[in-house]
Amino acid sequence: MAPDSTHDDRITSAILSDDTYERLRYERHAFLGQPVHKTLLLQSAVLGSLALILPMYGLFPEGTASYLPATDPTTASPKVLLLGVFGGVLEVLGAGLLVVAAAYRVRHAPLTEAQAHAALDAEEFARGVGLVTGGLAILLTVCLFAVGLGGESATASYVATMGANPFAPSGFGLSVSTVSIWAFAASVLVFYAGSYTQVRVLLERLRNRRS
């Protein structure tokens, strides 16, 4: 059977099923309407990309050093780091809300239509906060660190164009290595949260089918 046909059959089955949540999820046609565990795995990957700033900082050419607060990533705290922290916090908050929404579904299953709408509203809000807003902040952070990889010429061009040095001292105690390690740990935690959520939802579906 062709992949498109399989996908269409899955949607049709969900719409015609007794699972109010799944029916409403497909009927909404949300742009980011994938299952919660898949969203969490995607958020884990986004947080993992933020952890790349540590090796990137270590690979900065010598010419970039004049724009940096320090060459040692364990003490350097550039302004651009604050954007990454902002994005990382939003990712974690969004992931936490998704886990809560999934737990709500499992605890109150089978959901009424009002409960299903409430769960879906919470999920959409969480995706907007975490995956969209937080993801964009992290993407911009990684892109700005990539400018530093271009050396003195690329960094100088960016500063001349934007009128600001993204690697100027932030004035906060957060270092590149601290944020990178925190992002990696958060990425692992969100990954396991996604796996755990998937198992809990599947077990609940099996229990409902048997009852």
Side-chain angles (χ1 to χ4, degrees):
M1 185 179 291
D4 289 342
S5 177
T6 303
H7 179 67
D8 291 340
D9 289 344
R10 191 185 307 118
I11 294 176
T12 302
S13 298
I15 293 176
L16 297 177
S17 72
D18 295 330
D19 191 328
T20 305
Y21 168 85
E22 288 295 333
R23 175 174 58 80
L24 291 177
R25 183 169 72 86
Y26 280 106
E27 287 179 353
R28 285 194 177 200
H29 299 292
F31 177 68
L32 293 174
Q34 68 269 29
V36 168
H37 70 276
K38 290 185 178 180
T39 304
L40 289 170
L41 295 180
L42 184 56
Q43 288 184 280
S44 172
V46 173
L47 283 166
S49 69
L50 182 59
L52 296 176
I53 62 174
L54 177 57
M56 291 174 71
Y57 199 88
L59 293 173
F60 281 178
E62 292 183 3
T64 311
S66 60
Y67 293 92
L68 305 178
T71 56
D72 184 358
T74 61
T75 58
S77 180
K79 284 183 178 180
V80 64
L81 203 60
L82 300 180
L83 180 62
V85 171
F86 173 72
V89 169
L90 290 183
E91 285 288 357
V92 173
L93 288 176
L97 183 55
L98 284 174
V99 172
V100 170
Y104 174 85
R105 285 170 47 203
V106 171
R107 182 173 182 178
H108 296 278
L111 301 182
T112 64
E113 189 156 333
Q115 290 173 326
H117 275 299
L120 288 166
D121 288 342
E123 290 175 16
E124 289 179 6
F125 176 77
R127 291 186 182 98
V129 170
L131 201 56
V132 178
T133 307
L136 180 60
I138 289 175
L139 176 62
L140 289 174
T141 301
V142 174
C143 288
L144 287 172
F145 269 83
V147 172
L149 290 174
E152 183 177 6
S153 60
T155 307
S157 297
Y158 178 87
V159 172
T161 302
M162 303 303 294
N165 177 15
F167 303 112
S170 68
F172 291 85
L174 289 173
S175 67
V176 173
S177 60
T178 298
V179 173
S180 179
I181 293 171
W182 171 84
F184 177 77
S187 172
V188 173
L189 182 63
V190 172
F191 175 85
Y192 280 108
S195 301
Y196 174 77
T197 299
Q198 181 182 17
V199 171
R200 285 295 305 274
V201 171
L202 287 175
L203 289 176
E204 181 60 29
R205 286 179 182 173
L206 289 175
R207 188 182 69 83
N208 289 335
R209 289 174 181 175
R210 292 174 181 174
S211 60

